[in-house]
Amino acid sequence: MNIDIQNSLSFDYSETQQMVASSAKDFAEQYIRPYVMEWDEKQEFPIEVMRKAGSFGFMGILVPEMYGGSGLGYHEYVEIITEISKVDPSMGLSIAAHNSLCTNHILEFGDEDQKQRWLPKLATGEWIGAWGLTEHNTGSDAGGMNSTAVRDGDSWILNGTKNFITHGKSGDLAVVIMRTGEKGDNHGMTAFAVERGTPGFSSGKKENKLGMRASETAELVFDQCIISDDNRLGEVGAGFIQSLKILDGGRISIGALSLGIAKGAYQAALAYSKERVQFGKPISHFQGISFKLADMATEIEAAELLVHKASFEKNAGRKMTKLSAMCKMYASELCVRVANESVQIHGGYGYSKEFPVEKFYRDAKLCTIGEGTTEIQKVVIARNILK
């Protein structure tokens, strides 16, 4: 969906969007669909499939070609994440987190040496990225973080633990926000990039999750971890402000992920409703079912427009904090509703792992929590409309 308002309002998909959507669909069908339930049951994070995604250009979607990336914009990014998430939201989540958080933080705030050093490896899938802000006692209240970075000459000593980190065990490079000033000071946090294998940097507990089970979530542990000042991203004290900007784009990612879940669940319900016969006719012919499908289809259209409007503003380089929060909030709550109704339409079969809606139902809930809860999105939206 390429929204062009320079001369006239157009909702046509560009040729590039169609091409990348088709490529993402082919990738998902060939490399993901056959293994979805196997990975889910085993909680297996398929690292090699992530690396394969790199060969398709899906690990550096927003990264300029000069750094080995695809050099695409947010409309194309949304299409890729949506298509993959229609098949397996876990993989959509992992690819989104790699792109919009770790990789994008370096792209946005790294200096030229840092970009040359890390982006080619991340953009090609040679390395998998992680991003750490959340801690055990500081979820929405990131300013109260306990993890610290203390300067020692030309080095920094990192101590503390980050949790709920996508790719916390398997990530080759982690961008982490550490406290370098007083607690609660928005200018008292700094961003650092830490490579796997650095002494004092390890992984902790891997989470046993309700859904998104093939997307690895684990702790990052820092114990007297010494890194060079060359690993600092941006100015000292700018880490939290950087994070807010990264999360603006990240919320478009969750919007796209949610859109993929909603579309996948809706399409499964639509197909089932045409096949399932009760009282001598397909259940789609009953008003109770057809109205559910009508509501789902309408709300999906609305969510897609909101996600692409936020993408349009992001591509234009304009402030889109309010819009990104809106698209994330609306799309994430929508995907939960659609997944729920899809299970209901399937009846008893919706509760069975033989049908895909059971997994969509479990996976959907994370979208209302990750990268800022629905409640936090309402805080962000309210602050912006009340300015």
Side-chain angles (χ1 to χ4, degrees):
M1 184 176 297
N2 184 20
I3 304 175
D4 179 7
I5 60 173
Q6 289 181 356
N7 299 306
S8 62
L9 190 61
S10 170
F11 296 97
D12 291 334
Y13 283 82
S14 70
E15 184 177 343
T16 303
Q17 282 175 268
Q18 293 176 33
M19 181 184 69
V20 298
S22 177
S23 179
K25 183 177 181 178
D26 291 345
F27 171 78
E29 292 295 334
Q30 182 175 354
Y31 296 103
I32 298 176
R33 190 179 293 281
Y35 313 103
V36 169
M37 292 312 297
E38 177 186 339
W39 295 338
D40 184 76
E41 294 285 346
K42 295 179 180 179
Q43 296 200 69
E44 177 184 344
F45 174 53
I47 296 175
E48 291 310 311
V49 176
M50 288 286 285
R51 302 204 195 286
K52 175 63 72 173
S55 69
F56 277 71
F58 300 155
M59 297 292 272
I61 301 169
L62 303 166
V63 176
E65 294 180 20
M66 64 184 289
Y67 301 119
S70 298
L72 298 171
Y74 268 80
H75 291 302
E76 292 79 17
Y77 176 59
V78 165
E79 295 305 319
I80 292 167
I81 299 302
T82 298
E83 285 296 331
I84 291 171
S85 301
K86 282 163 64 175
V87 174
D88 187 357
S90 293
M91 292 305 296
L93 173 63
S94 274
I95 291 173
H98 170 92
N99 275 278
S100 72
L101 299 178
C102 176
T103 304
N104 202 41
H105 200 130
I106 294 168
L107 179 62
E108 291 283 335
F109 299 108
D111 61 30
E112 188 58 32
D113 288 342
Q114 291 168 333
K115 291 176 183 179
Q116 294 283 359
R117 182 176 168 190
W118 293 311
L119 286 180
K121 293 179 179 179
L122 292 166
T124 57
E126 179 185 347
W127 279 14
I128 294 170
W131 191 80
L133 177 65
T134 301
E135 298 182 6
H136 290 278
N137 296 315
T138 58
S140 300
D141 180 21
M145 68 173 58
N146 294 312
S147 296
T148 60
V150 177
R151 190 153 201 167
D152 182 18
D154 290 331
S155 299
W156 292 84
I157 304 171
L158 277 52
N159 283 289
T161 303
K162 299 290 182 180
N163 77 322
F164 296 141
I165 308 304
T166 305
H167 312 144
K169 280 187 176 292
S170 299
D172 300 284
L173 180 73
V175 172
V176 292
I177 317 302
M178 309 294 277
R179 185 162 58 81
T180 51
E182 297 299 318
K183 272 193 180 184
D185 179 4
N186 287 348
H187 298 282
M189 292 163 271
T190 305
F192 300 91
V194 189
E195 296 182 15
R196 182 68 64 184
T198 302
F201 175 33
S202 62
S203 300
K205 173 189 174 186
K206 179 182 175 181
E207 299 295 335
N208 183 3
K209 300 178 297 182
L210 168 71
M212 302 288 192
R213 289 165 62 87
S215 180
E216 176 188 280
T217 306
E219 293 175 322
L220 299 176
V221 180
F222 300 91
D223 182 10
Q224 293 296 109
C225 176
I226 301 174
I227 59 171
S228 167
D229 188 53
D230 291 340
N231 287 45
R232 172 172 51 81
L233 295 166
E235 297 299 320
V236 174
F240 183 66
I241 307 303
Q242 292 175 7
S243 297
L244 294 180
K245 292 178 181 177
I246 292 300
L247 287 170
D248 278 350
R251 285 164 182 159
I252 295 177
S253 299
I254 301 299
L257 172 62
S258 301
L259 193 58
I261 293 172
K263 285 186 173 185
Y266 164 73
Q267 289 170 5
L270 180 65
Y272 181 81
S273 73
K274 293 177 179 179
E275 297 166 0
R276 174 69 166 169
V277 174
Q278 293 285 272
F279 306 102
K281 56 185 175 182
I283 62 172
S284 60
H285 289 197
F286 294 100
Q287 191 177 73
I289 300 299
S290 66
F291 278 16
K292 286 182 187 293
L293 293 167
D295 285 340
M296 292 156 72
T298 302
E299 292 192 69
I300 287 170
E301 286 286 339
E304 189 161 26
L305 287 169
L306 198 48
V307 170
H308 278 286
K309 185 175 181 183
S311 299
F312 179 85
E313 295 296 316
K314 181 67 174 174
N315 281 344
R318 292 195 282 263
K319 183 174 174 62
M320 30 66 74
T321 300
K322 179 183 73 173
L323 265 177
S324 68
M326 284 178 168
C327 85
K328 193 273 187 189
M329 180 183 75
Y330 185 81
S332 64
E333 292 290 342
L334 163 68
C335 80
V336 172
R337 292 195 299 273
V338 171
N340 179 57
E341 291 287 45
S342 297
V343 170
Q344 193 71 16
I345 288 170
H346 279 72
Y349 291 111
Y351 211 67
S352 166
K353 290 184 181 291
E354 293 182 19
F355 288 78
V357 291
E358 175 271 345
K359 184 174 180 299
F360 284 126
Y361 187 61
R362 288 186 290 109
D363 288 347
K365 187 57 195 170
L366 179 69
C367 295
T368 69
I369 299 169
E371 297 198 32
T373 62
T374 293
E375 292 72 23
I376 288 295
Q377 304 313 315
K378 289 182 179 181
V379 170
V380 172
I381 295 164
R383 282 178 180 168
N384 277 269
I385 63 178
L386 294 172
K387 278 183 178 178

